[in-house]
Every structure is written in structure tokens, then in C-alpha cells.
Amino acid sequence: MISFEMPEKIEHAVVLAETIAENMMRPVSRHFDENEHEIPWDYIEFMHTSLKALGGGGLTPSGEKKEKKEKKEGPRIAFQRMAFQTEMLSWGDVGLWLCTPGGGLGAAAVNAAGTDEQKERFLARHRGEKPVFDAFALTEPHAGSAMPAEVRTTAVRDGDEWVLNGEKIFITAGHKALVDSDGFVVVWATIDPKAGRAGVRPFVVEAGTPGCKVTKLEHKLGIRASDTASVVLEDCRIPLENLLGSAEVVKPENKKGFKGAMATFDATRPVVASSALGIARATLERLKEILAEHGVEIRYGLPRSRMTNLEREIVDMEIMLRSTWLLTLKAMWQMDERKPNTLAASMSKVRAGDVVVKITQRAVELLGPLGYSREYLLEKWFRDAKINDLYEGTGQINRLIVARQAGGDSRLMGLAAWFHERSDFYGLSNQESGRDWIRNDGWQHRGALRRPGDSNVSAGHRPQGIDGCGERRRLDLER
Ligand SMILES: Cc1cc2nc3c(=O)[nH]c(=O)nc-3n(C[C@H](O)[C@H](O)[C@H](O)COP(=O)(O)OP(=O)(O)OC[C@H]3O[C@@H](n4cnc5c(N)ncnc54)[C@H](O)[C@@H]3O)c2cc1C
């Protein structure tokens, strides 16, 4: 069943987030933009106390216990709730939202790749007395998009420890995680440089570990309230159990280590999309308010041909904003339902990155000097917008993922038609036939559908590369 109603629990979370956005974020938005690297402790302390009262763990859905509880109470909504909260808090101020304590990108990686014991060990600190941050360190000086194939940071086993050496750059909340709190950074390093991406693993490096140093804080165009750090690892020794997943390079059961960490992006890309849409909505609302203050009302009821160009532009912005929000919610709903969501995740990120840049840029242009002036936050939102098209995979990289995934989907539909036609032949009822299998299991059962001698069957319907599991797997790993 599909429902577009907002569940009551999400409604409550949004009301709380709106109050925080209006009263705690907007009033200090300009201050933290102009005072880069000043830490918004009031916001941080308040969010820590509030999130703790709500069960702790930040905004990131985490922990099996919570999921089991939600299962009992109805369909899972934790990721959808996070999308709404993120959108609302980013409407308040995206830089401050990035300073929200508790589960960030590092926690998302622990959730995606860690064992239950690791989740408890590393994430319990978010429920403690003091606010704690975590971060995710993938990018290195020589490459970002080409990660993880090009990871040069190494992890070498020495007795009961891993010894890490390398440099990571552009780490969101790196300083807060390692210096300002007892947090941790998930560092990607290779345990076998010859193995390429197959050798890359995520390691948890905790604050205070000797050999792990923050060496630089970036000065940025936008999101200036958020710290972006460089981290150097020099003979940094961590316990063996801080490797998330398995240390085996070749075994298939190894999925949890490397592929599990890649799955982090399936969860976080729609979060970035939600955040982008929060900025876009703030801009569009403010634009309409300023226009109204100057006597320009948008006549939504008019036929398009009788609207002014300005009115048509505003309507087009509404369409961009709302349609991208639906796509983002779909990606989050798929996360909640534990369905594969790579396509929707990347697509929502691509669309939201474009939409926020277009809306914020056009708002500045339409208002001219008022848009450019620091009197309003519009010029700030214009600067804050661009990062959404850069981090968590640039627009180009996510377009590559979409192209590959969408190509997969059209083959999938061919497979569905082909299999559906032959459901009797395989002794399955219609309900068990291709469409349902595909809806429930995606590509996972593809191998099982193949029978000896099938190569000549119905070439017209037969998807190309039905046995192309290897190809698909390779594309997945290229994310
Ligand atoms: C404020 C900020 C916060 C960040 N936070 C984090 C973080 O917390 N953790 C982390 O690990 N990283 C983080 N990053 C790094 C970010 O994810 C990378 O900057 C991003 O992935 C791009 O990598 P790059 O900088 O090496 O650019 P490059 O990969 O060198 O890309 C440069 C340009 O080339 C294009 N390009 C590259 N490859 C291709 C291709 N195959 N096809 C088409 N075009 C291509 C890119 O789209 C881009 O336009 C952050 C960056 C910023 C700016």
C-alpha cells in the first residue's frame, strides 16, 4: 500500500524541528556564517539534550533494537523521519544542521558495515552525558571520486593491532569528532594495496588515539558553521576489533566490510538531497515573501499563457522542489523497507543538487541587489547550495550511477516480461512469477532464473546480459 500521508510521529518530529529551526538556527545563521570555525555550542548542547530525551543516537536511524521496536509498532519510518527532520533543520540553517551531534556519516558507516557488537560499542557514546560527533574519512589528497580504488592510506596488521598510515582531507566534523568530543572517525584504508578496491576496509579511529592528528581546517564558500578537516595518520595503532566487517580480501562473505560501507551512501545521499531541498524551500519562501512585500503576488490561478515570466518561473520552482522531494522520500521509504535504493538515492541527490543551485541562483538574480546584499540570507543560501552537488559523490558521479542503474532497470523489466510469460513453464503461480520476484528481490535471484539451453529463448524479450552478474557487481562497486 502506498500512502502519501505524513505519519503522526513524523508530524511531531517536524513540529519540533521547525521550532528549533525558527528559534535557534535562523537568529544565529548569519553570525556563524561570518565567524567560521566558531563552534555553535548552544545549538549543539540543546540538540544533544533533546535527542537524548527522544532516545539518543542523533538523527541517524541506528540500532537493531530500535528497528525491532518500530516493526512491532508498524512500518519502519526512521529514514523517512530523518528526511523530514533534515529538510526542516536545513531550512533553518544547513551549516548548523551539519553540527548536530550524534550519529553522522561515521555512525551511518558503522550501521552499514559493523557487527551488532561494534554498533553498541561505537554508537553508545551518542547516548552519554556529553555531545559526541563522528565523521567519515574517505577522500585523500590525490583523489576523491576515484575512491575507493585509489585509497593509499594503509592498514597493516601488527599482532593485536592495525597500524594506519596516510592522509585524509575534507572530513566533515573531523575536528568535532577527534578534538572537540570523545567521538570517532571511520577511516578507509587498504589492507592489500595490490587488491584495488577489494582491499579497502573501514576502520574506526577513536578520539585521543596517538598518531591521529587534525592538521587543517578548510575555509569555505558555504556551510561555514560546519568544520571540514584534514587528518593525518602516522603509525596510528588501533585494536583489531576496530575494523568494521571482515579482514578477508577474497571471500564472498566479505560483503559486509567493503560493500557494506558503500551502502552508507545509499542511506546518506537522500539525506543530502533532503538537506538541499530544505535550503531550496527556505529560498523560495523568502523570495515570495520579499516579492509580496514589494507588491508582487504570484497569481497561481491564471492560465500559464497569461502569467508574467516571473510567475511562470516561480511555478516551475515549485514543481522542481516538490517533485524532487517525492523522489527523495521514495529513496528513504526504500531504506525503511530495506529495498535496494541505489537508483533513487543517486537520482534524488542529482536532482536536489541541481534544484537547490537553480533556485538559489535564480532568487539572487530575480531580486538583484536585494538578493546580493547581506541584509537577507539569500546570498548565503546561494553559497550554501553548491556543496550539495559536490559531497557524497559529485553530480557527475551520481549521474554515472544513475545511468548504470537505470540501464539495469530496463533490462530488469525485459527479464520480468520474459519470466512472466514463462511462469507456468517454471511451475510457479502468477503471484510467484517474475514481477513479484523482481519487486521483492531485485537482481538477487537472477542467477536462479537461468536454465540450461536458455540462450536461444525468446531473443526479443530476453534481456541482454541476463547472466551478467559479474558486470552488475562491478558497476555497483564503482560507486
Ligand atoms: C565541504 C566538503 C565536505 C566534505 N566532506 C567529506 C567527508 O566528510 N568525508 C569524505 O570522505 N569526503 C568529504 N568531502 C570530499 C568530497 O566527497 C569530494 O570532494 C568529492 O567526492 C569529489 O572528489 P574530489 O574533490 O577529489 O574531486 P575529483 O574527483 O577530482 O573531481 C573533480 C571534478 O571531476 C569530475 N569527475 C571526476 N571523475 C569523473 C568521472 N569519472 N566522470 C565524470 N566526471 C568526473 C567531478 O564530478 C568533479 O566535477 C567533502 C568535500 C567538501 C568540499
Side-chain angles (χ1 to χ4, degrees):
M1 187 185 72
I2 294 177
S3 167
F4 291 98
E5 297 280 330
M6 193 195 289
E8 210 173 286
K9 275 187 201 159
I10 293 186
E11 226 174 296
H12 291 159
V14 171
V15 170
L16 177 64
E18 188 173 11
T19 312
I20 296 167
E22 269 181 355
N23 300 302
M24 293 211 73
M25 300 173 105
R26 280 287 176 88
V28 295
S29 207
R30 178 62 76 191
H31 175 86
F32 285 101
D33 178 51
E34 288 186 346
N35 294 279
E36 196 174 17
H37 301 157
E38 185 179 325
I39 301 177
W41 282 114
D42 286 352
Y43 169 76
I44 291 168
E45 299 283 357
F46 178 84
M47 288 305 280
H48 176 66
T49 312
S50 309
L51 291 168
K52 222 176 124 199
L54 294 172
L59 298 173
T60 313
S62 63
E64 294 297 318
K65 278 182 209 147
K66 199 170 172 187
E67 278 166 12
K68 274 179 196 153
K69 189 167 159 252
E70 278 180 355
K71 204 169 178 182
K72 263 192 232 156
E73 291 171 2
R76 273 188 296 265
I77 55 163
F79 280 95
Q80 293 162 80
R81 179 170 52 212
M82 179 169 57
F84 277 97
Q85 287 171 322
T86 299
E87 195 268 357
M88 192 71 243
L89 294 175
S90 299
W91 176 95
D93 186 276
V94 65
L96 291 171
W97 165 71
L98 284 162
C99 297
T100 308
L105 270 178
V110 172
N111 273 317
T115 61
D116 287 348
E117 182 276 325
Q118 286 174 324
K119 286 177 197 172
E120 185 53 32
R121 183 153 50 95
F122 297 124
L123 304 181
R125 69 196 69 198
H126 293 315
R127 300 189 290 273
E129 281 313 305
K130 289 186 180 161
V132 168
F133 294 86
D134 55 71
F136 181 90
L138 179 61
T139 307
E140 295 185 4
H142 59 284
S145 303
M147 294 293 175
E150 312 246 327
V151 165
R152 290 188 195 165
T153 298
T154 53
V156 177
R157 188 174 170 169
D158 182 18
D160 288 346
E161 294 175 321
W162 291 103
V163 185
L164 271 56
N165 278 288
E167 184 181 4
K168 296 287 178 183
I169 59 169
F170 285 108
I171 309 309
T172 299
H175 195 274
K176 286 191 195 68
L178 293 172
V179 180
D180 304 318
S181 75
D182 286 329
F184 63 86
V185 177
V186 173
V187 172
W188 287 47
T190 178
I191 53 174
D192 182 355
K194 287 194 206 102
R197 65 189 72 234
V200 176
R201 292 289 178 281
F203 298 85
V204 176
V205 177
E206 294 173 273
T209 307
C212 174
K213 247 196 315 201
V214 173
T215 51
K216 185 184 170 192
L217 281 180
E218 296 294 331
H219 292 278
K220 305 192 297 292
L221 173 74
I223 55 166
R224 287 156 61 87
S226 157
D227 80 74
T228 310
S230 296
V231 175
V232 167
L233 301 142
E234 250 171 17
D235 292 330
C236 175
R237 290 179 171 269
I238 57 168
L240 275 192
E241 336 50 277
N242 283 23
L243 162 66
L244 299 175
S246 159
E248 297 286 328
V249 173
V250 283
K251 290 189 179 164
E253 58 268 27
N254 223 346
K255 279 180 187 167
K256 268 228 137 179
F258 172 69
K259 281 206 78 173
M262 292 310 283
T264 310
F265 293 124
D266 291 339
T268 56
R269 282 178 177 147
V271 177
V272 173
S274 309
S275 172
L277 296 177
I279 307 170
R281 182 166 66 85
T283 305
L284 184 52
E285 284 176 7
R286 193 71 189 105
L287 170 63
K288 288 192 290 185
E289 276 167 20
I290 296 173
L291 288 173
E293 283 163 17
H294 288 77
V296 182
E297 290 291 344
I298 309 302
R299 297 166 303 164
Y300 285 99
L302 281 187
R304 197 165 164 91
S305 58
R306 289 181 49 207
M307 283 180 163
T308 61
N309 190 47
L310 175 72
E311 286 167 334
R312 279 197 288 263
E313 286 209 46
I314 300 277
V315 170
D316 286 348
M317 287 183 198
E318 306 262 13
I319 293 169
M320 287 194 281
L321 186 63
R322 291 174 196 219
S323 57
T324 310
W325 179 236
L326 284 179
L327 183 55
T328 305
L329 280 186
K330 180 181 174 187
M332 286 309 226
W333 171 80
Q334 286 174 324
M335 277 304 295
D336 278 329
E337 294 289 313
R338 303 217 175 125
K339 290 175 188 289
N341 77 332
T342 306
L343 177 63
S346 281
M347 222 188 260
S348 63
K349 166 83 169 57
V350 166
R351 279 297 292 152
D354 282 354
V355 164
V356 71
V357 169
K358 274 187 189 152
I359 291 182
T360 53
Q361 181 174 338
R362 203 63 195 119
V364 168
E365 288 163 0
L366 287 170
L367 293 174
L370 291 184
Y372 205 69
S373 161
R374 285 191 172 229
E375 192 179 334
Y376 296 113
L377 287 168
L378 290 155
E379 62 78 31
K380 175 185 179 297
W381 293 333
F382 174 48
R383 287 184 285 111
D384 285 342
K386 189 59 196 171
I387 191 60
N388 295 286
D389 191 38
L390 295 178
Y391 58 12
E392 298 288 301
T394 64
Q396 286 86 353
I397 294 304
N398 276 292
R399 276 177 174 82
L400 281 177
I401 295 165
V402 167
R404 287 162 182 164
Q405 292 279 327
D409 264 13
S410 58
R411 285 181 292 173
L412 196 65
M413 293 326 290
L415 173 63
W418 171 81
F419 187 68
H420 191 68
E421 278 171 21
R422 281 155 192 81
S423 54
D424 288 347
F425 177 72
Y426 285 97
L428 298 172
S429 70
N430 273 343
Q431 277 90 359
E432 290 167 317
S433 67
R435 283 173 212 283
D436 289 293
W437 273 44
I438 283 158
R439 205 185 57 220
N440 294 331
D441 296 293
W443 283 86
Q444 289 162 16
H445 288 275
R446 196 168 29 164
L449 301 182
R450 190 138 199 256
R451 288 165 55 94
D454 271 359
S455 55
N456 295 325
V457 175
S458 182
H461 287 295
R462 178 98 190 269
Q464 287 179 355
I466 187 173
D467 52 353
C469 298
E471 185 197 348
R472 169 73 173 199
R473 222 171 275 136
R474 183 167 56 77
L475 295 178
D476 271 355
L477 297 182
E478 280 177 8
R479 284 189 288 147

